[in-house]
Amino acid sequence: MLLFECRDESVIYDDIWVFDMDKHTWSEIIVPTGSPKPAGRSYSGMTLDKESNCLYMTGGRNTSQANGCRGGFQDMWKFNLTTSKWVRLQSNMGVSFQEGAHCLHNGIWWMVVFYTKTVYCYDINKKKLTSS
């Protein structure tokens, strides 16, 4: 199990953790120094691609003014679990994906935004977003 959305009463963190279900222990995944990474957030959507060993994340909120973003993020990121590196896929999607459901199937990232009842499809290879 992976966790990126960590926060307490005053701080929103930008670290990533993995839970070992056999040992019942948490371990932080250390991102290489100087590598890009998403700003800390809550309520983002994530899905895992077992074939590529990558975690995909989008949207979420951050009420901190420290990173210049209030409200919903409109970005998409990929985290490679083999290299422990983040790659930004998109910086401004035009919609914030939060409070929804996410899954990856045949290279298509499916996202449902609950508050608009809209289904979005993001083609990982073509880097193209469509809605239905």
Side-chain angles (χ1 to χ4, degrees):
M1 179 169 39
L2 296 162
L3 176 69
F4 177 74
E5 304 178 342
C6 299
R7 69 180 297 161
D8 61 25
E9 293 175 5
S10 60
V11 178
I12 298 175
Y13 300 96
D14 61 358
D15 44 7
I16 187 165
W17 292 78
V18 62
F19 183 73
D20 185 316
M21 293 183 194
D22 294 323
K23 297 178 183 176
H24 296 245
T25 57
W26 286 100
S27 301
E28 183 177 3
I29 299 174
I30 304 299
V31 175
T33 304
S35 294
K37 63 181 178 177
R41 61 193 71 201
S42 5
Y43 305 105
S44 64
M46 291 186 266
T47 190
L48 179 67
D49 180 12
K50 287 184 180 182
E51 290 180 20
S52 68
N53 204 31
C54 291
L55 173 73
Y56 291 87
M57 182 189 69
T58 186
R61 292 189 294 236
N62 180 337
T63 56
S64 167
Q65 293 183 9
N67 65 12
C69 179
R70 288 187 66 83
F73 286 98
Q74 298 182 5
D75 55 359
M76 292 185 137
W77 291 82
K78 174 174 79 171
F79 184 76
N80 187 309
L81 291 160
T82 304
T83 64
S84 298
K85 290 185 178 180
W86 286 100
V87 173
R88 184 191 331 248
L89 300 175
Q90 297 284 329
S91 59
N92 188 354
M93 302 296 296
V95 64
S96 179
F97 298 102
Q98 51 193 350
E99 301 176 18
H102 299 254
C103 73
L104 192 65
H105 180 69
N106 292 334
I108 305 295
W109 184 357
W110 294 85
M111 298 162 272
V112 178
V113 179
F114 292 150
Y115 60 89
T116 63
K117 297 183 177 100
T118 306
V119 176
Y120 292 89
C121 304
Y122 181 77
D123 188 310
I124 299 291
N125 296 316
K126 295 179 183 176
K127 296 184 178 181
K128 182 177 179 182
L129 180 71
T130 57
S131 65
S132 57

